[in-house]
Every structure is written in structure tokens, then in C-alpha cells.
């Protein structure tokens, strides 16, 4: 087995000033000039930092099997990601998009259940889309540590009315669930994407149902696909372990009939991971472009922000949430999942203005 990984780095603001020195990352607004090659095939990990201009020379010196693996991942790193077709809405992934979170749960960790009322939730969703959120992610079951499992019928009764309420407006909606019956009911009601924290493993019917519904699917990493997604989490190297798990899962889902351009991946920040694990994943987020899928990132208001900021309560984690969102954007994340959509959209717009200026500056 070849345990070899490529992490794009050495990002250039104005690649046109350095002809041939940088390549576009996964169809995003980023260009990278270096690749960290991480080889864990042997007894010890070997890391090599390779300038892109030396890439062919580096490849030529590798054994055939490692050369093939590097070529495969490099092709995935540099391939643009297809736009998402969410009913009548087309979500382009050549620029970072914001996904707004609406929790239809009475025990949400982030908002204390204030959006459990349909009209309140609808107003919040419309405010998010008006502010520029491209997708609204609707969930009916809390997945915070210690949260109880919700019966699928109750979950449907929480999310379906809101989805039907928003559907006539053309709002692009995702259903945040790990249950096949909820996926089916939500997409029938008007949702157009599935966001599953169990990567279609919790419910034996999920993969079959997701394939039949023919909508994009987010596969998230969690150490357990049982009732407690936070259980476990024993890693010898969290970044490569999560990469391996996601790669195997993407391949299984693709083999079952869901095309890779309809699969998104999420490393699962905060799910069965320590603070150190989360920080490592965020610092190395660009490695996940090597899976060849659009990358979704979600760390909004999470516990790690409080841990790094004098135990700030959940309602006081906006600053940390914005910083982590932009950290992900600066590593090419295609979709940022957040509670504070308006503030995040504004941050992304300012970043986009800086990028546009750098990319159109004279060489």
C-alpha cells in the first residue's frame, strides 16, 4: 500500500507575475507554487517540499508506483470542480460560497432552539439568502456531544414544513440528516442536497436512497457512524487518517453509482477530534483537494473557538468563526457552512475584492 499525500502550499496572490511557477487549485481563486509531499509508506514519515517548477523532475525520480499515485492526486488537485445544480439554482464553485445553517431543533447548541418555529426559521433563512448565502442547510436533529437520537418521524415533522415554506422562493436547500427517510422526505419537499455527518453509513438505506434522489451529497468524516458520532477518534496522524477514510468512502459511494462531481467532502471539524486534531486539520486543509471533490468546511461557533478564547460562550464566538472561515477560504474551501451568514458573506466579499485586484494587476 502506498501512503502518499500531496499538500498544495506556497500560494501566490498574483500568479501572472510568475509565469509557469503556479497552478490553479481545484478551480478556486487560488494558485499554488509548492507541493508538500508526505510519504508514510515506510517505517517513518518523509516530507519533501517541491517547487512546482521542479515537479516533473521530482516525479521522474520516483518509483513507478509512487509516480502513478502522485500523478493521480496532482490531477485531482488541479481539476476544476463542477458547479452544483440545486433544482433551478446553479451554485458555481470557482469562488467560495456560504452555506447558512438553520437548526429546527429545540436543543441546538448554537441558538438554543430559537429557529424551531417555522416562521422564525423562514425569516432567518430569507435573511441569510438576502445577505448572499448560496445554500441554506436545514437540520432537525442536534449532533452536539451527548445529544439524544431523534426518531425519523419527528425529524421529518421538524424540517419538512420549513422546506415546503422556502421552496417556492427558489431557495437552494440542503438537508442535514443521517436518515434515509428524512433525506427522501426533504428532497421531495424541495431540498436539493444531502449533508450527512455519517457519510451515508448510519442508515443502511442511505446510499440507495441518495443515489435514487440524484442530488449532490456531502460526506463528512466522523470516527463513528453509530448513534454517537463523537465516539472514538484514535489517530496516529489525524490529517492522513481522515484523508484515507474519506478517500475510501468517496470511492465506495462512487462505485455505488454517485458520480464524483456530485460528491463533496467535509473533514468533520469537532467530531471525535481533540483541539490539537482540529488545529492540525485546519492548518492542513488544502490536502483534502487531493480527493478530487468539492470541499466543504464547517467550524462555526464550535467548541474549539471557546477553548482558544478564554472559554467564550457560544454566542460570543463570531470573531473566531470568521477567522476560521477565512482560513478555510485561503486554502481553497469551496463552501463554508456557518451560523452567521451575513458577516461571513461580507468577509468573503472583501477577500474576493482583494483576490480580484491581485489577479488583474499588471504583471
Amino acid at each position: 500500500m502506498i501512503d502518499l499525500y500531496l499538500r498544495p502550499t506556497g500560494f501566490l496572490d498574483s500568479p501572472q507575475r510568475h509565469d509557469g511557477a503556479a497552478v490553479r487549485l481545484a478551480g478556486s481563486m487560488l494558485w499554488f507554487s509548492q507541493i508538500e509531499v508526505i510519504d508514510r509508506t515506510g517505517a517513518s514519515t518523509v516530507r519533501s517540499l517541491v517547487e512546482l517548477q521542479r515537479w516533473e523532475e521530482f516525479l521522474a525520480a520516483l518509483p513507478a508506483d509512487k509516480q502513478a499515485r502522485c500523478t493521480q492526486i496532482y490531477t485531482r488537485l488541479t481539476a476544476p470542480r463542477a458547479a452544483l445544480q440545486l433544482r433551478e439554482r446553479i451554485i458555481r464553485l470557482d469562488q467560495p460560497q456560504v452555506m447558512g445553517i438553520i437548526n429546527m431543533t429545540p436543543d441546538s447548541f448554537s441558538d438554543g432552539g430559537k429557529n424551531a418555529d417555522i416562521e422564525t426559521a423562514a425569516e432567518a433563512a430569507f435573511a441569510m439568502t438576502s445577505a448572499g448565502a448560496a445554500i441554506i442547510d436545514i437540520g432537525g436533529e442536534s449532533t452536539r456531544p451527548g445529544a439524544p437520537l431523534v426518531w425519523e418521524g419527528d425529524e421529518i415533522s421538524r424540517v419538512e414544513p420549513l422546506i415546503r415554506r422556502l421552496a417556492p422562493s427558489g431557495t437552494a436547500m440542503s438537508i442535514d440528516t443521517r436518515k434515509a427517510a428524512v433525506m427522501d422526505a426533504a428532497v421531495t419537499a424541495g431540498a436539493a442536497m444531502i449533508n450527512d455527518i455519517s457519510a451515508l453509513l448510519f442508515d443502511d438505506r442511505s446510499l440507495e436512497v441518495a443515489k435514487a434522489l440524484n442530488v449532490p451529497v456531502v460526506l463528512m468524516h466522523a470516527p463513528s457512524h453509530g448513534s454517537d458520532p463523537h465516539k472514538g477518534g484514535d489517530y496516529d496522524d489525524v490529517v492522513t487518517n481522515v484523508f484515507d477514510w474519506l478517500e475510501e468512502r468517496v470511492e465506495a459511494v462512487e462505485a455505488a453509482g454517485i458520480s464524483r462531481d456530485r460528491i463533496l467532502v467535509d473533514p468533520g471539524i469537532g467530531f471525535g477530534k481533540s483541539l490539537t486534531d482540529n488545529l492540525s486539520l485546519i492548518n492542513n486543509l488544502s490536502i483534502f483537494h487531493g480527493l478530487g471533490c468539492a470541499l466543504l468546511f464547517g467550524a462555526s461557533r464550535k467548541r474549539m473557538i471557546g477553548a482558544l478564547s478564554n472559554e467564550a460562550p457560544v454566542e460570543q464566538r463570531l470573531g473566531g468563526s470568521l477567522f476560521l472561515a477565512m482560513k478555510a477560504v485561503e486554502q481553497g474551501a469551496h463552501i463554508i457552512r456557518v451560523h452567521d451568514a451575513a458577516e461571513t458573506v461580507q468577509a468573503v466579499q472583501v477577500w474576493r475584492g482583494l483576490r480580484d485586484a491581485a489577479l488583474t494587476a499588471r504583471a
Side-chain angles (χ1 to χ4, degrees), residues 63-338:
D65 55 350
K66 292 186 178 181
Q67 189 175 119
R69 177 61 170 165
C70 279
T71 299
Q72 177 192 51
I73 299 178
Y74 182 87
T75 299
R76 292 174 178 173
L77 290 175
T78 55
R81 303 302 185 246
L84 300 176
Q85 181 76 52
L86 304 187
R87 294 188 181 265
E88 65 266 31
R89 293 286 304 282
I90 296 177
I91 310 299
R92 293 174 49 186
L93 299 179
D94 57 352
Q95 55 188 304
Q97 303 286 357
V98 171
M99 170 188 278
I101 301 168
I102 296 291
N103 292 313
M104 298 298 293
T105 54
D107 56 348
S108 169
F109 92 95
S110 62
D111 57 30
K114 72 176 184 180
N115 285 327
D117 172 73
I118 294 174
E119 287 307 313
T120 301
E123 289 178 12
F126 287 135
M128 287 180 176
T129 55
S130 296
I135 305 169
I136 300 299
D137 192 41
I138 300 170
E141 178 183 56
S142 175
T143 53
R144 76 184 194 286
L149 188 67
V150 176
W151 176 55
E152 61 187 30
D154 287 341
E155 193 174 337
I156 291 171
S157 69
R158 291 175 178 180
V159 300
E160 187 179 37
L162 177 62
I163 293 171
R164 292 194 182 280
R165 171 78 169 79
L166 297 175
S169 69
T171 301
M173 289 175 283
S174 169
I175 179 64
D176 176 7
T177 187
R178 48 185 170 168
K179 303 182 185 76
V182 183
M183 297 173 191
D184 193 12
V187 172
T188 300
M193 187 160 78
I194 295 167
N195 183 13
D196 185 354
I197 65 165
S198 77
L200 302 178
L201 287 168
F202 176 79
D203 187 326
D204 291 341
R205 294 182 53 242
S206 290
L207 182 54
E208 174 189 352
V209 169
K211 178 184 175 182
L213 292 172
N214 195 30
V215 296
V217 177
V218 181
L219 306 179
M220 194 197 82
H221 172 272
S224 170
H225 56 265
S227 59
D228 183 1
H230 301 273
K231 186 178 181 180
D234 184 18
Y235 314 101
D236 66 336
D237 181 290
V238 67
V239 174
T240 57
N241 290 172
V242 171
F243 184 100
D244 290 344
W245 190 95
L246 284 170
E247 184 171 38
E248 290 180 8
R249 194 64 195 136
V250 168
E251 289 174 354
V253 170
E254 186 177 32
I258 299 177
S259 63
R260 192 172 291 244
D261 63 3
R262 285 180 168 264
I263 300 173
L264 298 86
V265 293
D266 177 349
I269 301 300
F271 283 82
K273 301 171 181 80
S274 68
L275 174 60
T276 300
D277 293 335
N278 289 323
L279 295 174
S280 294
L281 287 168
I282 295 168
N283 279 328
N284 293 277
L285 193 64
S286 66
I287 199 172
F288 294 102
H289 292 293
L291 296 167
C293 300
L295 177 60
L296 184 146
F297 176 84
S300 177
R301 300 187 188 177
K302 290 199 172 179
R303 174 70 186 84
M304 65 172 293
I305 300 171
L308 293 170
S309 56
N310 200 30
E311 299 303 328
V314 65
E315 68 273 10
Q316 295 178 19
R317 297 176 186 172
L318 175 59
S321 297
L322 288 173
F323 184 85
L324 293 178
M326 299 317 298
K327 177 72 172 178
V329 166
E330 290 190 338
Q331 294 184 76
H334 298 94
I335 300 176
I336 310 298
R337 183 178 180 271
V338 300

